[in-house]
Amino acid sequence: MYVLGVYDINVKRVAKVKKIFSRYMFWMQNSTFEGNLTKVQLRELQRELNSVVNPNEDHIIFYVIRNEDVVTKTIIGERHSEPSNIL
Amino acid sequence: MYVLGVYDINVKRVAKVKKIFSRYMFWMQNSTFEGNLTKVQLRELQRELNSVVNPNEDHIIFYVIRNEDVVTKTIIGERHSEPSNIL
């Protein structure tokens, strides 16, 4: 499955959330990861995230798309560099 | 077409970008809009955004999906309120 993960996380927890995401998916830009995951991997990722986030302050949306072929991606602006320093 | 727009915009321009997005799509969370757009609407939205963003500092990704039926959405955390005050 092709998965997009977008998050809005309190700054206190954002480094932890990024670290978890980056073990499963690719960083695309600030607040956005994407990747191909199995159902089991997605469940595991969500389990890990649930153990870190505060549901009153944080919000994550997963868009799970049956396959990548139905998605076209267009970008405005230059590619920012990976936030490797904060992982 | 079902469109997701996620952006990483310098704070100086973010209010303008949100205002443009909100005329075409629905606000989902900080940095994320979604909606059903025609090709013409998407082109018009991108044209407006291009006139505002600085490509060296800003970055927007559009995921264009053939139809909404192939997308499943799951959410972690509570729904934040609409940022109506900044529009």
Side-chain angles (χ1 to χ4, degrees):
Chain A
M1 307 180 302
Y2 186 63
V3 181
L4 306 175
V6 288
Y7 53 83
D8 178 11
I9 303 288
N10 186 302
V11 68
K12 287 181 277 181
R13 287 175 294 277
V14 74
K16 270 189 185 174
V17 164
K18 279 180 181 167
K19 199 169 175 180
I20 294 171
F21 260 112
S22 64
R23 294 211 323 277
Y24 292 85
M25 296 164 79
F26 296 101
W27 182 87
M28 294 307 294
Q29 72 177 17
N30 193 21
S31 307
T32 308
F33 278 81
E34 60 179 79
N36 278 292
L37 298 183
T38 64
K39 273 188 190 175
V40 173
Q41 286 172 322
L42 179 59
R43 206 160 44 222
E44 183 65 12
L45 167 59
Q46 291 174 336
R47 194 191 56 76
E48 286 197 52
L49 290 169
N50 268 314
S51 73
V52 165
V53 303
N54 176 339
N56 296 319
E57 297 183 355
D58 304 328
H59 199 256
I60 305 174
I61 309 178
F62 290 92
Y63 296 94
V64 181
I65 302 158
R66 224 168 290 160
N67 70 75
E68 201 173 338
D69 301 342
V70 299
V71 183
T72 310
K73 196 159 61 178
T74 57
I75 289 171
I76 292 177
E78 305 296 327
R79 184 76 165 76
H80 296 184
S81 58
E82 290 277 333
S84 51
N85 56 319
I86 56 170
L87 293 182
Chain B
M1 309 179 303
Y2 186 63
V3 181
L4 306 176
V6 289
Y7 54 83
D8 178 12
I9 303 287
N10 186 303
V11 67
K12 286 181 277 181
R13 288 176 294 277
V14 74
K16 271 190 183 173
V17 165
K18 279 180 181 167
K19 199 170 175 180
I20 293 171
F21 260 112
S22 65
R23 296 212 321 277
Y24 292 85
M25 296 165 76
F26 296 101
W27 182 87
M28 294 307 294
Q29 72 177 18
N30 193 22
S31 307
T32 308
F33 278 81
E34 62 179 77
N36 278 293
L37 298 183
T38 64
K39 273 187 190 177
V40 174
Q41 286 172 322
L42 178 60
R43 207 160 44 220
E44 184 65 14
L45 167 58
Q46 290 175 336
R47 195 190 57 75
E48 286 198 52
L49 290 169
N50 268 313
S51 73
V52 166
V53 302
N54 175 340
N56 297 319
E57 297 184 356
D58 304 328
H59 200 255
I60 304 174
I61 309 177
F62 290 92
Y63 296 95
V64 181
I65 301 157
R66 223 168 292 161
N67 71 75
E68 202 172 339
D69 300 343
V70 299
V71 183
T72 311
K73 197 159 62 179
T74 57
I75 289 171
I76 292 176
E78 305 297 328
R79 184 77 164 77
H80 296 184
S81 58
E82 292 276 332
S84 51
N85 55 320
I86 57 169
L87 293 183

mmCIF file of all heavy atoms in Angstrom, chain A residues 1-4 34-37 42 62-72, chain B residues 2 4 63-73:
data_model
loop_
_atom_site.group_PDB
_atom_site.id
_atom_site.type_symbol
_atom_site.label_atom_id
_atom_site.label_comp_id
_atom_site.label_asym_id
_atom_site.label_seq_id
_atom_site.Cartn_x
_atom_site.Cartn_y
_atom_site.Cartn_z
ATOM 1 N N MET A 1 0.841 -1.181 0.000
ATOM 2 C CA MET A 1 0.000 0.000 0.000
ATOM 3 C C MET A 1 0.884 1.241 0.000
ATOM 4 O O MET A 1 1.932 1.266 0.643
ATOM 5 C CB MET A 1 -0.857 0.029 1.267
ATOM 6 C CG MET A 1 -1.646 -1.256 1.509
ATOM 7 S SD MET A 1 -2.644 -1.146 3.019
ATOM 8 C CE MET A 1 -1.381 -0.804 4.249
ATOM 9 N N TYR A 2 0.411 2.251 -0.721
ATOM 10 C CA TYR A 2 1.144 3.519 -0.772
ATOM 11 C C TYR A 2 0.562 4.419 0.321
ATOM 12 O O TYR A 2 -0.643 4.680 0.342
ATOM 13 C CB TYR A 2 0.947 4.138 -2.151
ATOM 14 C CG TYR A 2 1.739 5.378 -2.409
ATOM 15 C CD1 TYR A 2 3.127 5.345 -2.421
ATOM 16 C CD2 TYR A 2 1.107 6.580 -2.668
ATOM 17 C CE1 TYR A 2 3.861 6.481 -2.670
ATOM 18 C CE2 TYR A 2 1.837 7.729 -2.929
ATOM 19 C CZ TYR A 2 3.213 7.670 -2.923
ATOM 20 O OH TYR A 2 3.929 8.802 -3.183
ATOM 21 N N VAL A 3 1.412 4.875 1.237
ATOM 22 C CA VAL A 3 0.924 5.600 2.407
ATOM 23 C C VAL A 3 1.551 6.991 2.482
ATOM 24 O O VAL A 3 2.765 7.153 2.303
ATOM 25 C CB VAL A 3 1.257 4.825 3.709
ATOM 26 C CG1 VAL A 3 0.719 5.568 4.922
ATOM 27 C CG2 VAL A 3 0.695 3.413 3.663
ATOM 28 N N LEU A 4 0.697 7.991 2.721
ATOM 29 C CA LEU A 4 1.170 9.336 3.040
ATOM 30 C C LEU A 4 0.867 9.593 4.505
ATOM 31 O O LEU A 4 -0.246 9.285 4.968
ATOM 32 C CB LEU A 4 0.431 10.393 2.215
ATOM 33 C CG LEU A 4 0.430 10.204 0.706
ATOM 34 C CD1 LEU A 4 -0.445 11.273 0.056
ATOM 35 C CD2 LEU A 4 1.849 10.273 0.190
ATOM 36 N N GLU A 34 6.197 9.710 3.078
ATOM 37 C CA GLU A 34 5.472 8.777 2.230
ATOM 38 C C GLU A 34 6.265 7.485 2.054
ATOM 39 O O GLU A 34 7.488 7.456 2.251
ATOM 40 C CB GLU A 34 5.133 9.397 0.866
ATOM 41 C CG GLU A 34 6.297 9.834 0.036
ATOM 42 C CD GLU A 34 5.854 10.409 -1.327
ATOM 43 O OE1 GLU A 34 5.437 11.573 -1.373
ATOM 44 O OE2 GLU A 34 5.953 9.682 -2.324
ATOM 45 N N GLY A 35 5.566 6.416 1.716
ATOM 46 C CA GLY A 35 6.265 5.157 1.514
ATOM 47 C C GLY A 35 5.318 4.018 1.207
ATOM 48 O O GLY A 35 4.097 4.153 1.324
ATOM 49 N N ASN A 36 5.900 2.911 0.775
ATOM 50 C CA ASN A 36 5.122 1.694 0.549
ATOM 51 C C ASN A 36 5.214 0.806 1.780
ATOM 52 O O ASN A 36 6.311 0.402 2.174
ATOM 53 C CB ASN A 36 5.664 0.955 -0.681
ATOM 54 C CG ASN A 36 5.121 1.538 -1.965
ATOM 55 O OD1 ASN A 36 3.933 1.426 -2.242
ATOM 56 N ND2 ASN A 36 5.969 2.203 -2.729
ATOM 57 N N LEU A 37 4.074 0.541 2.375
ATOM 58 C CA LEU A 37 4.044 -0.254 3.607
ATOM 59 C C LEU A 37 3.063 -1.406 3.451
ATOM 60 O O LEU A 37 2.068 -1.297 2.729
ATOM 61 C CB LEU A 37 3.564 0.598 4.787
ATOM 62 C CG LEU A 37 4.370 1.821 5.218
ATOM 63 C CD1 LEU A 37 3.714 2.445 6.447
ATOM 64 C CD2 LEU A 37 5.797 1.430 5.543
ATOM 65 N N LEU A 42 2.152 -0.754 8.675
ATOM 66 C CA LEU A 42 1.368 0.440 9.003
ATOM 67 C C LEU A 42 0.811 0.356 10.428
ATOM 68 O O LEU A 42 0.846 1.318 11.184
ATOM 69 C CB LEU A 42 0.222 0.621 7.993
ATOM 70 C CG LEU A 42 -0.688 1.819 8.251
ATOM 71 C CD1 LEU A 42 0.080 3.143 8.241
ATOM 72 C CD2 LEU A 42 -1.822 1.874 7.216
ATOM 73 N N PHE A 62 -3.209 9.709 8.079
ATOM 74 C CA PHE A 62 -2.658 8.749 7.135
ATOM 75 C C PHE A 62 -3.606 8.612 5.961
ATOM 76 O O PHE A 62 -4.804 8.365 6.162
ATOM 77 C CB PHE A 62 -2.510 7.365 7.779
ATOM 78 C CG PHE A 62 -1.438 7.298 8.810
ATOM 79 C CD1 PHE A 62 -1.730 7.540 10.137
ATOM 80 C CD2 PHE A 62 -0.138 7.014 8.448
ATOM 81 C CE1 PHE A 62 -0.733 7.501 11.095
ATOM 82 C CE2 PHE A 62 0.868 6.973 9.396
ATOM 83 C CZ PHE A 62 0.562 7.222 10.728
ATOM 84 N N TYR A 63 -3.070 8.794 4.756
ATOM 85 C CA TYR A 63 -3.825 8.527 3.542
ATOM 86 C C TYR A 63 -3.271 7.230 2.967
ATOM 87 O O TYR A 63 -2.099 7.174 2.572
ATOM 88 C CB TYR A 63 -3.658 9.658 2.534
ATOM 89 C CG TYR A 63 -4.210 10.985 3.009
ATOM 90 C CD1 TYR A 63 -3.394 11.917 3.639
ATOM 91 C CD2 TYR A 63 -5.553 11.295 2.838
ATOM 92 C CE1 TYR A 63 -3.897 13.130 4.083
ATOM 93 C CE2 TYR A 63 -6.074 12.503 3.283
ATOM 94 C CZ TYR A 63 -5.240 13.416 3.902
ATOM 95 O OH TYR A 63 -5.743 14.624 4.331
ATOM 96 N N VAL A 64 -4.078 6.197 2.962
ATOM 97 C CA VAL A 64 -3.630 4.891 2.474
ATOM 98 C C VAL A 64 -4.246 4.672 1.102
ATOM 99 O O VAL A 64 -5.476 4.657 0.951
ATOM 100 C CB VAL A 64 -4.062 3.767 3.446
ATOM 101 C CG1 VAL A 64 -3.566 2.422 2.934
ATOM 102 C CG2 VAL A 64 -3.536 4.043 4.843
ATOM 103 N N ILE A 65 -3.389 4.532 0.099
ATOM 104 C CA ILE A 65 -3.850 4.461 -1.290
ATOM 105 C C ILE A 65 -3.510 3.076 -1.831
ATOM 106 O O ILE A 65 -2.403 2.570 -1.599
ATOM 107 C CB ILE A 65 -3.164 5.573 -2.116
ATOM 108 C CG1 ILE A 65 -3.504 6.937 -1.487
ATOM 109 C CG2 ILE A 65 -3.605 5.524 -3.570
ATOM 110 C CD1 ILE A 65 -2.535 8.029 -1.825
ATOM 111 N N ARG A 66 -4.473 2.470 -2.500
ATOM 112 C CA ARG A 66 -4.331 1.066 -2.881
ATOM 113 C C ARG A 66 -3.022 0.784 -3.602
ATOM 114 O O ARG A 66 -2.340 -0.156 -3.303
ATOM 115 C CB ARG A 66 -5.543 0.641 -3.716
ATOM 116 C CG ARG A 66 -6.084 -0.705 -3.310
ATOM 117 C CD ARG A 66 -7.425 -0.960 -3.947
ATOM 118 N NE ARG A 66 -8.486 -0.118 -3.401
ATOM 119 C CZ ARG A 66 -9.637 0.120 -4.031
ATOM 120 N NH1 ARG A 66 -9.860 -0.370 -5.244
ATOM 121 N NH2 ARG A 66 -10.558 0.858 -3.453
ATOM 122 N N ASN A 67 -2.677 1.607 -4.569
ATOM 123 C CA ASN A 67 -1.361 1.465 -5.197
ATOM 124 C C ASN A 67 -0.900 2.804 -5.751
ATOM 125 O O ASN A 67 -1.697 3.700 -6.020
ATOM 126 C CB ASN A 67 -1.356 0.361 -6.265
ATOM 127 C CG ASN A 67 -2.146 0.768 -7.470
ATOM 128 O OD1 ASN A 67 -1.694 1.575 -8.272
ATOM 129 N ND2 ASN A 67 -3.362 0.236 -7.611
ATOM 130 N N GLU A 68 0.406 2.904 -5.919
ATOM 131 C CA GLU A 68 1.034 4.178 -6.264
ATOM 132 C C GLU A 68 0.647 4.666 -7.662
ATOM 133 O O GLU A 68 0.745 5.852 -7.961
ATOM 134 C CB GLU A 68 2.556 3.972 -6.161
ATOM 135 C CG GLU A 68 3.339 5.241 -5.984
ATOM 136 C CD GLU A 68 4.819 4.981 -5.707
ATOM 137 O OE1 GLU A 68 5.174 3.874 -5.258
ATOM 138 O OE2 GLU A 68 5.616 5.899 -5.954
ATOM 139 N N ASP A 69 0.215 3.736 -8.529
ATOM 140 C CA ASP A 69 -0.058 4.086 -9.930
ATOM 141 C C ASP A 69 -1.166 5.117 -10.104
ATOM 142 O O ASP A 69 -1.223 5.792 -11.135
ATOM 143 C CB ASP A 69 -0.451 2.828 -10.730
ATOM 144 C CG ASP A 69 0.641 1.786 -10.695
ATOM 145 O OD1 ASP A 69 1.791 2.145 -10.361
ATOM 146 O OD2 ASP A 69 0.345 0.609 -10.988
ATOM 147 N N VAL A 70 -2.066 5.215 -9.138
ATOM 148 C CA VAL A 70 -3.185 6.149 -9.286
ATOM 149 C C VAL A 70 -2.855 7.539 -8.764
ATOM 150 O O VAL A 70 -3.712 8.406 -8.730
ATOM 151 C CB VAL A 70 -4.467 5.622 -8.581
ATOM 152 C CG1 VAL A 70 -4.917 4.300 -9.195
ATOM 153 C CG2 VAL A 70 -4.270 5.493 -7.091
ATOM 154 N N VAL A 71 -1.596 7.730 -8.332
ATOM 155 C CA VAL A 71 -1.197 9.017 -7.754
ATOM 156 C C VAL A 71 -0.244 9.751 -8.691
ATOM 157 O O VAL A 71 0.719 9.170 -9.180
ATOM 158 C CB VAL A 71 -0.486 8.827 -6.399
ATOM 159 C CG1 VAL A 71 -0.149 10.175 -5.779
ATOM 160 C CG2 VAL A 71 -1.332 8.004 -5.459
ATOM 161 N N THR A 72 -0.531 11.021 -8.944
ATOM 162 C CA THR A 72 0.403 11.883 -9.663
ATOM 163 C C THR A 72 0.850 12.958 -8.697
ATOM 164 O O THR A 72 0.023 13.534 -7.982
ATOM 165 C CB THR A 72 -0.282 12.548 -10.872
ATOM 166 O OG1 THR A 72 -0.957 11.541 -11.622
ATOM 167 C CG2 THR A 72 0.737 13.234 -11.761
ATOM 168 N N TYR B 2 -9.243 13.811 -6.841
ATOM 169 C CA TYR B 2 -9.095 14.016 -5.403
ATOM 170 C C TYR B 2 -7.675 14.526 -5.164
ATOM 171 O O TYR B 2 -6.712 13.859 -5.551
ATOM 172 C CB TYR B 2 -9.330 12.686 -4.695
ATOM 173 C CG TYR B 2 -9.341 12.757 -3.205
ATOM 174 C CD1 TYR B 2 -10.296 13.503 -2.536
ATOM 175 C CD2 TYR B 2 -8.399 12.060 -2.461
ATOM 176 C CE1 TYR B 2 -10.317 13.563 -1.167
ATOM 177 C CE2 TYR B 2 -8.411 12.099 -1.081
ATOM 178 C CZ TYR B 2 -9.371 12.855 -0.441
ATOM 179 O OH TYR B 2 -9.382 12.898 0.929
ATOM 180 N N LEU B 4 -4.660 16.202 -2.590
ATOM 181 C CA LEU B 4 -4.109 16.573 -1.290
ATOM 182 C C LEU B 4 -3.035 17.614 -1.533
ATOM 183 O O LEU B 4 -2.205 17.444 -2.433
ATOM 184 C CB LEU B 4 -3.452 15.371 -0.607
ATOM 185 C CG LEU B 4 -4.306 14.126 -0.446
ATOM 186 C CD1 LEU B 4 -3.475 13.002 0.151
ATOM 187 C CD2 LEU B 4 -5.497 14.444 0.427
ATOM 188 N N TYR B 63 -0.643 15.836 -4.218
ATOM 189 C CA TYR B 63 -0.875 14.444 -4.579
ATOM 190 C C TYR B 63 -2.235 14.400 -5.269
ATOM 191 O O TYR B 63 -3.264 14.700 -4.646
ATOM 192 C CB TYR B 63 -0.896 13.557 -3.335
ATOM 193 C CG TYR B 63 0.427 13.521 -2.609
ATOM 194 C CD1 TYR B 63 0.677 14.378 -1.542
ATOM 195 C CD2 TYR B 63 1.426 12.630 -2.976
ATOM 196 C CE1 TYR B 63 1.892 14.351 -0.868
ATOM 197 C CE2 TYR B 63 2.641 12.597 -2.309
ATOM 198 C CZ TYR B 63 2.865 13.455 -1.259
ATOM 199 O OH TYR B 63 4.069 13.425 -0.591
ATOM 200 N N VAL B 64 -2.221 14.077 -6.545
ATOM 201 C CA VAL B 64 -3.467 14.048 -7.315
ATOM 202 C C VAL B 64 -3.853 12.590 -7.524
ATOM 203 O O VAL B 64 -3.096 11.815 -8.122
ATOM 204 C CB VAL B 64 -3.284 14.757 -8.670
ATOM 205 C CG1 VAL B 64 -4.590 14.737 -9.452
ATOM 206 C CG2 VAL B 64 -2.789 16.182 -8.461
ATOM 207 N N ILE B 65 -5.013 12.231 -7.004
ATOM 208 C CA ILE B 65 -5.426 10.827 -7.011
ATOM 209 C C ILE B 65 -6.668 10.706 -7.891
ATOM 210 O O ILE B 65 -7.578 11.543 -7.814
ATOM 211 C CB ILE B 65 -5.722 10.368 -5.562
ATOM 212 C CG1 ILE B 65 -4.450 10.559 -4.717
ATOM 213 C CG2 ILE B 65 -6.171 8.914 -5.530
ATOM 214 C CD1 ILE B 65 -4.702 10.682 -3.252
ATOM 215 N N ARG B 66 -6.659 9.693 -8.735
ATOM 216 C CA ARG B 66 -7.677 9.597 -9.780
ATOM 217 C C ARG B 66 -9.088 9.718 -9.209
ATOM 218 O O ARG B 66 -9.905 10.456 -9.720
ATOM 219 C CB ARG B 66 -7.506 8.295 -10.565
ATOM 220 C CG ARG B 66 -7.657 8.484 -12.048
ATOM 221 C CD ARG B 66 -7.198 7.271 -12.819
ATOM 222 N NE ARG B 66 -5.754 7.063 -12.719
ATOM 223 C CZ ARG B 66 -5.147 5.908 -12.984
ATOM 224 N NH1 ARG B 66 -5.858 4.852 -13.316
ATOM 225 N NH2 ARG B 66 -3.834 5.800 -12.899
ATOM 226 N N ASN B 67 -9.374 8.984 -8.154
ATOM 227 C CA ASN B 67 -10.664 9.173 -7.485
ATOM 228 C C ASN B 67 -10.560 8.798 -6.015
ATOM 229 O O ASN B 67 -9.668 8.051 -5.606
ATOM 230 C CB ASN B 67 -11.781 8.404 -8.195
ATOM 231 C CG ASN B 67 -11.653 6.929 -7.993
ATOM 232 O OD1 ASN B 67 -11.959 6.413 -6.921
ATOM 233 N ND2 ASN B 67 -11.160 6.224 -9.007
ATOM 234 N N GLU B 68 -11.487 9.356 -5.244
ATOM 235 C CA GLU B 68 -11.426 9.259 -3.780
ATOM 236 C C GLU B 68 -11.607 7.821 -3.277
ATOM 237 O O GLU B 68 -11.199 7.490 -2.168
ATOM 238 C CB GLU B 68 -12.522 10.176 -3.208
ATOM 239 C CG GLU B 68 -12.297 10.601 -1.791
ATOM 240 C CD GLU B 68 -13.290 11.662 -1.327
ATOM 241 O OE1 GLU B 68 -13.875 12.352 -2.192
ATOM 242 O OE2 GLU B 68 -13.459 11.790 -0.107
ATOM 243 N N ASP B 69 -12.215 6.968 -4.114
ATOM 244 C CA ASP B 69 -12.554 5.607 -3.663
ATOM 245 C C ASP B 69 -11.337 4.759 -3.318
ATOM 246 O O ASP B 69 -11.456 3.786 -2.570
ATOM 247 C CB ASP B 69 -13.350 4.872 -4.756
ATOM 248 C CG ASP B 69 -14.634 5.597 -5.093
ATOM 249 O OD1 ASP B 69 -15.051 6.447 -4.275
ATOM 250 O OD2 ASP B 69 -15.214 5.312 -6.148
ATOM 251 N N VAL B 70 -10.182 5.082 -3.880
ATOM 252 C CA VAL B 70 -9.001 4.262 -3.633
ATOM 253 C C VAL B 70 -8.216 4.721 -2.395
ATOM 254 O O VAL B 70 -7.163 4.191 -2.099
ATOM 255 C CB VAL B 70 -8.049 4.237 -4.857
ATOM 256 C CG1 VAL B 70 -8.743 3.640 -6.071
ATOM 257 C CG2 VAL B 70 -7.500 5.614 -5.169
ATOM 258 N N VAL B 71 -8.780 5.729 -1.689
ATOM 259 C CA VAL B 71 -8.078 6.283 -0.534
ATOM 260 C C VAL B 71 -8.809 5.918 0.761
ATOM 261 O O VAL B 71 -10.021 6.082 0.850
ATOM 262 C CB VAL B 71 -7.984 7.823 -0.621
ATOM 263 C CG1 VAL B 71 -7.193 8.385 0.561
ATOM 264 C CG2 VAL B 71 -7.366 8.245 -1.925
ATOM 265 N N THR B 72 -8.068 5.410 1.724
ATOM 266 C CA THR B 72 -8.607 5.209 3.069
ATOM 267 C C THR B 72 -7.850 6.140 3.998
ATOM 268 O O THR B 72 -6.630 6.233 3.922
ATOM 269 C CB THR B 72 -8.380 3.757 3.539
ATOM 270 O OG1 THR B 72 -8.810 2.873 2.516
ATOM 271 C CG2 THR B 72 -9.162 3.480 4.810
ATOM 272 N N LYS B 73 -8.586 6.816 4.855
ATOM 273 C CA LYS B 73 -7.956 7.806 5.727
ATOM 274 C C LYS B 73 -8.068 7.346 7.168
ATOM 275 O O LYS B 73 -9.147 6.952 7.603
ATOM 276 C CB LYS B 73 -8.680 9.139 5.531
ATOM 277 C CG LYS B 73 -7.934 10.322 6.018
ATOM 278 C CD LYS B 73 -8.434 11.588 5.355
ATOM 279 C CE LYS B 73 -9.884 11.869 5.668
ATOM 280 N NZ LYS B 73 -10.351 13.116 5.050
#
